[in-house]
Amino acid sequence: MSSQQPRSVAGPRCPRCAEPLEPGDRFCGVCGHDVSSVDAGGGTAGLDHPTIAMQSPGPPGVPGGAVAAVAPGARVQWPEAQEVSGGVPAPVHRAGDISGRTSGGGDLPSYGGRSASDGPEFRTDDPYAHPDPTPAGSSGDYPLPAPAPSPAPRTDPREGVPAAGDPTGPAAKRCVFCGVGRVAQDDYCEHCGKAQPRERDHMETALDAVAAVSDRGLRHHRNEDAYAISSAALPDGSPAVVAIVCDGVSSASRPDEASLAASRAANECVLDLLPQGVHPQQAMHQAIVAASEAVNALAGEGAPTGDTAHQNAPACTLVGAIVADELLVIGWVGDSRAYWVPVDRSAPVARLTEDDSWAAQMVAAGLMNEAEAYADERAHAITGWLGADSYELEPHTVSFKPDRAGVVVVCTDGLWNYAESAQNMATVLPVDAHRHPLEAARTLVGHALDGGGHDNVTVALVPFPAPEPGAGSA
């Protein structure tokens, strides 16, 4: 996970990481950025960048400063959700409230004169922008503890054959690659020697009204993303759909455990609160708090054995969506995102979240334009995350009342790196995604893998309004 320094090479370069490009390249070989619009002279011709609306809240009727990535002047004209009728209103933190400050409320990082005991100023979730140099010959990933050696096969002293329960016995799992060898306790085939896929290498889940797919990608040694999707009933019996997506921070220890714990805790919290009549926006806020507490608890469980060079508090990002009745609620911390794509593709599309990231804050503060910020090697440094060493937790939540049918795309940066703008995401999303969310989610993951698969890829698709039970894809 070494940093990619810009090189002084003539010719076109990737606008994100400054990697020299070869003629005909459609995606950067280092960061996977879409470079199909980089001209031969090294400039950009209509290059798409993330929609950043942190400096302008937009006109009335556009919640949270979300802007449509379509023709100039076209915006998503949604009425804002009404406040909670009783009790304490749900906290609302919109991206337009951020003005070049850290998520802890302090000045932007100075990147100097700070001791290790002060804790991190930012975290990076970019495997190609890690601040520590990668040793020569290393793959760029963090080493895992060596697997425990397999014990010698136990034999029945009466017959000299493998005893019951022996992993080399007749009931042992066979290799998914060669189909002949048996899989030893270290998860390697004894015949062809290939490591077997782990349970989280590729996951798919589909309910009537929501579907999610997660894949390890082509460069990581494990999947550090996690998701949780579910459905519940509101007190009046109407359905509610929940999708939570988490991305483990690669520069932290045990990021896979952090994302799994956060997704489960957030999902369980929402399912507990919605049937009680809690406003969905308040439920999302509480879910993010519960997820944060679950990740914080991991830090007290002790560091795993093995290499301790990078042992620090587990951390992850989170983005979630709740569809309940006529309401769409989005909540997030970090740089995982949510997009809105209407069924009628002639209508405006929008990105519903703003990143807690270095690049987003540079643009918001007016210190860089989008092209400069996202070309910087620090672009993926995140300023908000869930973890024991994070700043004061600031969950972002916002409610919308869409005026038409559509699909909510909830994803990690392993996907949006290959479809950054809302318009790009809409172009990749199949037109029948609202009827077949699982197949559409597979298509999006395949798009990221075809683009290079440099990171774990996770996406959940939530049709709006939620279809009736039994109407979705199996």
Side-chain angles (χ1 to χ4, degrees), residues 400-420:
F400 305 110
K401 283 189 175 180
D403 58 355
R404 66 196 66 203
V407 177
V408 184
V409 180
V410 185
C411 64
T412 62
D413 60 348
L415 172 61
W416 66 252
N417 275 332
Y418 299 96
E420 289 188 89

Side-chain angles (χ1 to χ4, degrees), residues 343-356:
V343 172
D344 178 7
R345 295 301 174 88
S346 64
V349 297
R351 201 179 94 196
L352 306 179
T353 59
E354 294 293 349
D355 301 342
D356 290 322

